């Protein structure tokens, strides 16, 4: 968990994350990259180069690469019931269709600011308490394929 602040380029970020995970002895790795606009679709392909390169060098670390449409905050607000429960008075229609929202981060930060809530803690709570089936439905363009990859790469990989 954490950001790679001194590494530039998404292939290098993924490679560094994989190397750090292997050095730390983790069982599996999930790297998430915000797309931040259609022009940045290359980010996921660059990260895949690093993962494929690590596997070619013999790495057995299961690694899932995720790219929410447009930002990970779309996933955080994708479960309206969860948002309503954790951010009382948040109207679920404000977060309807999270993958279609141009800037879901500003929506989420606005909800947090209105309530004076800590961003890091509330985002952790939103992520850990979200209903995955709901996210697969509301964020079907990005979360659904992500969960399929988690199942394929991590769940099945750990069984081997």
């Amino acid at each position: 968990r954490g950001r790679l602040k001194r590494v530039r380029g998404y292939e290098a970020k993924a490679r560094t994350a994989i190397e750090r995970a292997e050095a730390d002895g983790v069982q599996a790795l999930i790297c998430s990259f915000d797309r931040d606009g259609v022009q940045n679709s290359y980010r996921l392909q660059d990260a895949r180069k690093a993962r494929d390169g690590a596997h070619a060098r013999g790495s057995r670390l299961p690694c899932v690469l995720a790219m929410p449409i447009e930002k990970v905050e779309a996933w955080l607000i994708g479960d309206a019931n969860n948002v309503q429960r954790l951010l009382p008075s948040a109207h679920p229609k404000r977060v309807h269709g999270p993958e279609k929202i141009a800037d879901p981060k500003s929506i989420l930060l606005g909800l947090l600011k209105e309530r004076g809530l800590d961003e890091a803690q509330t985002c952790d709570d939103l992520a850990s308490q979200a209903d995955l089936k709901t996210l697969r439905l509301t964020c079907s363009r990005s979360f659904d394929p992500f969960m399929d990859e988690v199942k394929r790469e991590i769940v099945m990989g750990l069984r081997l």
Side-chain angles (χ1 to χ4, degrees):
R1 179 177 173 170
R3 295 179 182 234
L4 303 173
K5 295 183 179 184
R6 294 193 173 110
V7 181
R8 297 185 59 89
Y10 288 84
E11 184 174 356
K13 287 178 188 281
R15 183 175 45 255
T16 302
I18 291 166
E19 290 168 357
R20 183 187 296 174
E22 288 175 325
D24 290 347
V26 301
Q27 290 185 318
L29 175 67
I30 296 175
C31 294
S32 175
F33 306 97
D34 286 347
R35 185 172 76 171
D36 293 326
V38 176
Q39 72 278 10
N40 296 318
S41 295
Y42 70 90
R43 290 176 175 176
L44 189 56
Q45 304 302 30
D46 285 357
R48 284 184 179 139
K49 289 177 194 173
R51 180 187 62 192
D52 295 347
H55 289 159
R57 288 188 301 281
S59 173
R60 297 182 49 102
L61 179 71
C63 179
V64 173
L65 303 171
M67 182 174 286
I69 310 283
E70 288 295 319
K71 298 178 180 291
V72 73
E73 288 82 7
W75 293 359
L76 294 176
I77 62 175
D79 179 353
N81 291 332
N82 192 38
V83 171
Q84 185 71 32
R85 184 175 55 256
L86 294 170
L87 306 175
S89 304
H91 195 282
K93 286 188 177 181
R94 279 184 82 172
V95 294
H96 181 71
E99 290 181 315
K100 296 176 183 171
I101 297 171
D103 189 3
K105 184 173 188 171
S106 67
I107 298 290
L108 177 58
L109 292 180
L111 292 170
L112 297 177
K113 186 176 181 181
E114 287 171 8
R115 288 155 186 78
L117 297 172
D118 177 71
E119 180 181 348
Q121 182 60 53
T122 306
C123 288
D124 281 351
D125 292 344
L126 286 167
S128 65
Q129 296 176 38
D131 181 75
L132 301 182
K133 289 180 182 176
T134 298
L135 290 179
R136 286 189 95 144
L137 294 171
T138 61
C139 299
S140 61
R141 289 179 49 212
S142 61
F143 192 77
D144 194 38
F146 164 72
M147 287 302 297
D148 289 343
E149 189 172 347
V150 166
K151 189 178 194 179
R152 185 175 55 254
E153 294 290 324
I154 295 180
V155 176
M156 299 307 287
L158 292 176
R159 288 184 184 161
L160 298 176

